[in-house]
Amino acid sequence: MSAPALDRKTGRRVDHKVARAIQRITSTAFGRYQSAVIRIGFSATYLFFLLRELPHRHEMYGPDAPWGWDMAQQLIAGNQSFTALMWSDSTVWFEIVYAIALISAALLMVGWHTRAMSVLFMVGVLSLQNRSIFMGDGGDNVIHLMAIYLMLTRCGRVWSLDARRAARQAREAADDPRSRARTNVAGAVLWVVLGLVLIAASVTDGLGGTWWLPALLWILWIGEGAWWAVNCYAPHGESRILLDVVANLAHNATLVVIMAEVCLIYATAGWYKIQGSRWQDGTALYYPLKLDYFTPWPGLSDILASNSVMVMLLTYGTVIVQVAFPFTLFNRRVKNVLLVAMMCEHAGIALLLGLPFFSMAMIAADSVFLPTVFLVWLGSRVTLTRKLLFPGRAEVPGQRRGDGDEEAPQHSGDGGHTLVG
């Protein structure tokens, strides 16, 4: 074969591989199980945090907060951030916003109208955190970012009430092809109500001083309306395929951003630790174990602090794991080992230092790298346990079938994606 012919054949092979890669990226939402775990993990973390601080909510974010209304107004005017709590200084309004944050976190965790709940969850997180910015820690910063990212993911395609509803509708359509999908009244009401709130907030300049947040919210709201219309009148047309492609691209791109965010967190934390003298001599862990604020179990902390070898090993091990993790993504086995080590490290931080919500947030972020095989196995164990406890109930949708690569049937409307269900 001549060189020009060989070059043409090689070029066609490369073009074919590129075309297949593009087709897969646009037709598939990757990391369905990982994004579901992120959804459940972060919503559960913030739900438990809000429930724990329920007796102290007025002192933290409300009318009795040391960071008063006037100071918050001055800060918001300077940094142009968004918080619905600045729409009114009424105690009733504060209670409404706090209740919305609680309820949306709970409903997002179980995956009920996931897209709408992800928007409300983001509103609740930003409203509370931006109202009193000095109340948070590193875990709150991660929740802040993930609340924004979750709106762009298709995180309700498995392990959610939306996926259960979609699977039920698919079974009904298979049993009776002439049947029409039932109108999702709750989804339509949510879409209308959120649209009215969005219009009012935009007219009154209540969405902060940035351009990206209003633009993102309007794009999501209009997109969900278009999705509902297409699913009603042209469920098998080109418009439906185009919307699905856009949703998959947004989901996959956001998942890459989440992975990069986690790597950046660990890389910066590790390299900053290297520069500290206490981390260099292996004694950094000793000092927080001797602070009353970080010793919920004084006896356990004293035992660990008295073992200098263990303190040194944990100090150096923390730095090594954090610095090395981003470089292990190219080796699946090493990555999984370090992933387990990091999750165990955060579990230890929660137990020894009394920082449970920080640890829960970081473990939820780490879950984006969990192997799909493990998550599928975990889901099957949960399903089996549920069947033993509640016999006769329907199977949880989204579990893998016999060929190992198929989900439970999904309705064309993709209840896990659309705001209107």
Side-chain angles (χ1 to χ4, degrees):
M1 183 180 296
S2 62
L6 184 61
D7 291 341
R8 287 195 297 270
K9 184 176 181 180
T10 303
R12 286 195 298 269
R13 188 181 298 113
V14 172
D15 292 342
H16 179 65
K17 290 182 178 179
V18 171
R20 287 186 59 186
I22 294 175
Q23 191 274 337
R24 190 181 179 199
I25 292 173
T26 56
S27 65
T28 305
F30 294 108
R32 296 182 295 267
Y33 294 90
Q34 288 82 355
S35 59
V37 174
I38 292 173
R39 182 198 85 231
I40 295 169
F42 279 101
S43 57
T45 299
Y46 206 61
L47 173 64
F48 295 151
F49 172 78
L50 294 177
L51 289 174
R52 191 194 71 171
E53 302 300 341
L54 192 62
H56 314 291
R57 63 190 184 280
H58 287 256
E59 291 77 13
M60 294 182 64
Y61 306 109
D64 300 330
W67 190 255
W69 172 266
D70 294 335
M71 291 189 291
Q73 274 191 321
Q74 295 178 25
L75 179 66
I76 296 300
N79 61 20
Q80 302 294 307
S81 59
F82 163 78
T83 170
L85 288 176
M86 301 310 296
W87 294 356
S88 172
D89 60 352
S90 168
T91 303
V92 175
W93 176 245
F94 167 76
E95 298 290 358
I96 291 174
V97 173
Y98 200 91
I100 289 175
L102 267 172
I103 296 171
S104 63
L107 294 179
L108 180 62
M109 182 175 63
V110 299
W112 184 80
H113 292 281
T114 310
R115 184 71 70 180
M117 291 305 109
S118 67
V119 173
L120 291 177
F121 179 71
M122 183 273 297
V123 169
V125 170
L126 268 59
S127 296
L128 294 175
Q129 291 187 357
N130 290 339
R131 168 63 176 83
S132 299
I133 62 172
F134 299 108
M135 300 302 300
D137 56 19
D140 293 290
N141 293 335
V142 176
I143 294 175
H144 189 112
L145 293 171
M146 294 300 173
I148 299 173
Y149 297 153
L150 279 174
M151 292 193 301
L152 300 174
T153 63
R154 309 183 78 170
C155 56
R157 291 176 65 84
V158 297
W159 296 346
S160 67
L161 296 180
D162 287 345
R164 183 189 297 274
R165 182 177 65 250
R168 183 178 63 249
Q169 292 174 349
R171 287 194 298 268
E172 292 174 355
D175 295 338
D176 185 7
R178 294 173 298 179
S179 64
R180 293 176 58 87
R182 290 173 289 181
T183 303
N184 195 320
V185 178
V189 171
L190 274 173
W191 187 78
V192 172
V193 171
L194 292 179
L196 294 175
V197 173
L198 183 57
I199 293 172
S202 300
V203 171
T204 58
D205 293 328
L207 296 177
T210 60
W211 64 268
W212 64 266
L213 182 60
L216 177 61
L217 293 177
W218 275 110
I219 289 172
L220 287 174
W221 187 75
I222 295 173
E224 296 306 322
W227 193 291
W228 176 82
V230 168
N231 281 328
C232 286
Y233 301 107
H236 305 293
E238 293 183 357
S239 299
R240 173 65 172 81
I241 297 175
L242 176 61
L243 290 176
D244 206 38
V245 167
V246 173
N248 288 333
L249 286 174
H251 169 90
N252 294 333
T254 305
L255 213 59
V256 172
V257 172
I258 293 175
M259 292 179 180
E261 190 79 43
V262 175
C263 291
L264 184 62
I265 290 173
Y266 283 119
T268 53
W271 286 107
Y272 271 114
K273 286 182 175 67
I274 289 177
Q275 301 174 44
S277 59
R278 300 306 179 194
W279 291 96
Q280 293 174 7
D281 60 26
T283 62
L285 182 61
Y286 173 84
Y287 297 98
L289 292 175
K290 288 299 182 178
L291 295 176
D292 292 338
Y293 186 79
F294 292 110
T295 53
W297 311 98
L300 185 60
S301 298
D302 289 340
I303 292 174
L304 180 58
S306 63
N307 190 328
S308 58
V309 175
M310 184 60 67
V311 168
M312 182 186 67
L313 291 176
L314 290 176
T315 300
Y316 286 147
T318 298
V319 176
I320 293 172
V321 167
Q322 291 183 349
V323 172
F325 178 74
F327 301 100
T328 65
L329 299 182
F330 302 101
N331 189 303
R332 182 177 300 178
R333 293 182 179 179
V334 178
K335 181 263 295 182
N336 290 339
V337 172
L338 288 189
L339 192 60
V340 173
M342 288 193 303
M343 290 184 171
C344 291
E345 173 193 335
H346 290 303
I349 291 174
L351 177 65
L352 293 173
L353 303 183
L355 298 172
F357 300 111
F358 167 78
S359 299
M360 289 177 64
M362 291 308 304
I363 291 174
D366 294 342
S367 63
V368 71
F369 295 108
L370 286 174
T372 302
V373 173
F374 168 74
L375 293 176
V376 172
W377 174 86
L378 182 63
S380 66
R381 297 305 95 188
V382 173
T383 301
L384 180 60
T385 302
R386 191 182 61 83
K387 285 183 177 180
L388 294 176
L389 295 177
F390 306 101
R393 298 288 295 275
E395 181 181 0
V396 176
Q399 305 299 325
R400 297 261 175 146
R401 300 306 187 192
D403 58 2
D405 195 37
E406 294 295 331
E407 289 186 342
Q410 296 288 334
H411 183 253
S412 61
D414 189 3
H417 169 69
T418 59
L419 181 146
V420 296

PDB file of all heavy atoms in Angstrom, residues 379-389:
ATOM      1  N   GLY A 379     -25.667  -0.290  45.434  1.00  0.00           N
ATOM      2  CA  GLY A 379     -27.086  -0.118  45.182  1.00  0.00           C
ATOM      3  C   GLY A 379     -27.848  -1.432  45.241  1.00  0.00           C
ATOM      4  O   GLY A 379     -28.970  -1.485  45.756  1.00  0.00           O
ATOM      5  N   SER A 380     -27.238  -2.495  44.733  1.00  0.00           N
ATOM      6  CA  SER A 380     -27.905  -3.805  44.790  1.00  0.00           C
ATOM      7  C   SER A 380     -28.037  -4.287  46.219  1.00  0.00           C
ATOM      8  O   SER A 380     -29.041  -4.904  46.589  1.00  0.00           O
ATOM      9  CB  SER A 380     -27.134  -4.819  43.943  1.00  0.00           C
ATOM     10  OG  SER A 380     -25.843  -5.067  44.502  1.00  0.00           O
ATOM     11  N   ARG A 381     -27.024  -4.003  47.065  1.00  0.00           N
ATOM     12  CA  ARG A 381     -27.120  -4.390  48.475  1.00  0.00           C
ATOM     13  C   ARG A 381     -28.238  -3.621  49.169  1.00  0.00           C
ATOM     14  O   ARG A 381     -28.981  -4.187  49.993  1.00  0.00           O
ATOM     15  CB  ARG A 381     -25.802  -4.131  49.196  1.00  0.00           C
ATOM     16  CG  ARG A 381     -24.584  -4.911  48.715  1.00  0.00           C
ATOM     17  CD  ARG A 381     -24.808  -6.398  48.730  1.00  0.00           C
ATOM     18  NE  ARG A 381     -25.245  -6.881  47.414  1.00  0.00           N
ATOM     19  CZ  ARG A 381     -25.651  -8.100  47.168  1.00  0.00           C
ATOM     20  NH1 ARG A 381     -25.692  -8.991  48.149  1.00  0.00           N
ATOM     21  NH2 ARG A 381     -26.020  -8.457  45.957  1.00  0.00           N
ATOM     22  N   VAL A 382     -28.345  -2.336  48.858  1.00  0.00           N
ATOM     23  CA  VAL A 382     -29.409  -1.530  49.456  1.00  0.00           C
ATOM     24  C   VAL A 382     -30.778  -2.033  49.004  1.00  0.00           C
ATOM     25  O   VAL A 382     -31.720  -2.140  49.804  1.00  0.00           O
ATOM     26  CB  VAL A 382     -29.224  -0.048  49.076  1.00  0.00           C
ATOM     27  CG1 VAL A 382     -30.418   0.774  49.541  1.00  0.00           C
ATOM     28  CG2 VAL A 382     -27.946   0.498  49.708  1.00  0.00           C
ATOM     29  N   THR A 383     -30.884  -2.375  47.719  1.00  0.00           N
ATOM     30  CA  THR A 383     -32.143  -2.898  47.198  1.00  0.00           C
ATOM     31  C   THR A 383     -32.510  -4.212  47.871  1.00  0.00           C
ATOM     32  O   THR A 383     -33.664  -4.437  48.249  1.00  0.00           O
ATOM     33  CB  THR A 383     -32.036  -3.100  45.679  1.00  0.00           C
ATOM     34  OG1 THR A 383     -31.727  -1.857  45.054  1.00  0.00           O
ATOM     35  CG2 THR A 383     -33.345  -3.634  45.115  1.00  0.00           C
ATOM     36  N   LEU A 384     -31.530  -5.085  48.042  1.00  0.00           N
ATOM     37  CA  LEU A 384     -31.780  -6.366  48.692  1.00  0.00           C
ATOM     38  C   LEU A 384     -32.223  -6.163  50.136  1.00  0.00           C
ATOM     39  O   LEU A 384     -33.171  -6.821  50.606  1.00  0.00           O
ATOM     40  CB  LEU A 384     -30.516  -7.230  48.637  1.00  0.00           C
ATOM     41  CG  LEU A 384     -30.609  -8.622  49.292  1.00  0.00           C
ATOM     42  CD1 LEU A 384     -31.695  -9.446  48.617  1.00  0.00           C
ATOM     43  CD2 LEU A 384     -29.261  -9.331  49.212  1.00  0.00           C
ATOM     44  N   THR A 385     -31.547  -5.250  50.827  1.00  0.00           N
ATOM     45  CA  THR A 385     -31.922  -4.971  52.214  1.00  0.00           C
ATOM     46  C   THR A 385     -33.338  -4.417  52.297  1.00  0.00           C
ATOM     47  O   THR A 385     -34.126  -4.799  53.174  1.00  0.00           O
ATOM     48  CB  THR A 385     -30.935  -3.976  52.838  1.00  0.00           C
ATOM     49  OG1 THR A 385     -29.608  -4.504  52.759  1.00  0.00           O
ATOM     50  CG2 THR A 385     -31.289  -3.691  54.290  1.00  0.00           C
ATOM     51  N   ARG A 386     -33.670  -3.522  51.370  1.00  0.00           N
ATOM     52  CA  ARG A 386     -35.015  -2.945  51.377  1.00  0.00           C
ATOM     53  C   ARG A 386     -36.078  -3.997  51.093  1.00  0.00           C
ATOM     54  O   ARG A 386     -37.171  -3.973  51.672  1.00  0.00           O
ATOM     55  CB  ARG A 386     -35.089  -1.829  50.334  1.00  0.00           C
ATOM     56  CG  ARG A 386     -36.342  -0.980  50.428  1.00  0.00           C
ATOM     57  CD  ARG A 386     -36.359   0.075  49.339  1.00  0.00           C
ATOM     58  NE  ARG A 386     -36.344  -0.527  48.020  1.00  0.00           N
ATOM     59  CZ  ARG A 386     -37.429  -0.974  47.389  1.00  0.00           C
ATOM     60  NH1 ARG A 386     -38.613  -0.886  47.966  1.00  0.00           N
ATOM     61  NH2 ARG A 386     -37.339  -1.501  46.197  1.00  0.00           N
ATOM     62  N   LYS A 387     -35.765  -4.941  50.196  1.00  0.00           N
ATOM     63  CA  LYS A 387     -36.726  -6.007  49.899  1.00  0.00           C
ATOM     64  C   LYS A 387     -36.949  -6.899  51.112  1.00  0.00           C
ATOM     65  O   LYS A 387     -38.064  -7.375  51.348  1.00  0.00           O
ATOM     66  CB  LYS A 387     -36.230  -6.832  48.715  1.00  0.00           C
ATOM     67  CG  LYS A 387     -36.388  -6.140  47.369  1.00  0.00           C
ATOM     68  CD  LYS A 387     -35.945  -7.052  46.240  1.00  0.00           C
ATOM     69  CE  LYS A 387     -36.172  -6.391  44.883  1.00  0.00           C
ATOM     70  NZ  LYS A 387     -35.743  -7.273  43.770  1.00  0.00           N
ATOM     71  N   LEU A 388     -35.874  -7.132  51.872  1.00  0.00           N
ATOM     72  CA  LEU A 388     -36.021  -7.951  53.072  1.00  0.00           C
ATOM     73  C   LEU A 388     -36.838  -7.242  54.142  1.00  0.00           C
ATOM     74  O   LEU A 388     -37.628  -7.874  54.857  1.00  0.00           O
ATOM     75  CB  LEU A 388     -34.637  -8.313  53.616  1.00  0.00           C
ATOM     76  CG  LEU A 388     -33.770  -9.224  52.734  1.00  0.00           C
ATOM     77  CD1 LEU A 388     -32.392  -9.420  53.352  1.00  0.00           C
ATOM     78  CD2 LEU A 388     -34.453 -10.570  52.524  1.00  0.00           C
ATOM     79  N   LEU A 389     -36.645  -5.928  54.238  1.00  0.00           N
ATOM     80  CA  LEU A 389     -37.380  -5.163  55.248  1.00  0.00           C
ATOM     81  C   LEU A 389     -38.801  -4.850  54.816  1.00  0.00           C
ATOM     82  O   LEU A 389     -39.730  -4.823  55.636  1.00  0.00           O
ATOM     83  CB  LEU A 389     -36.633  -3.861  55.552  1.00  0.00           C
ATOM     84  CG  LEU A 389     -35.253  -4.018  56.199  1.00  0.00           C
ATOM     85  CD1 LEU A 389     -34.595  -2.646  56.363  1.00  0.00           C
ATOM     86  CD2 LEU A 389     -35.358  -4.711  57.548  1.00  0.00           C
TER      87      LEU A 389
END
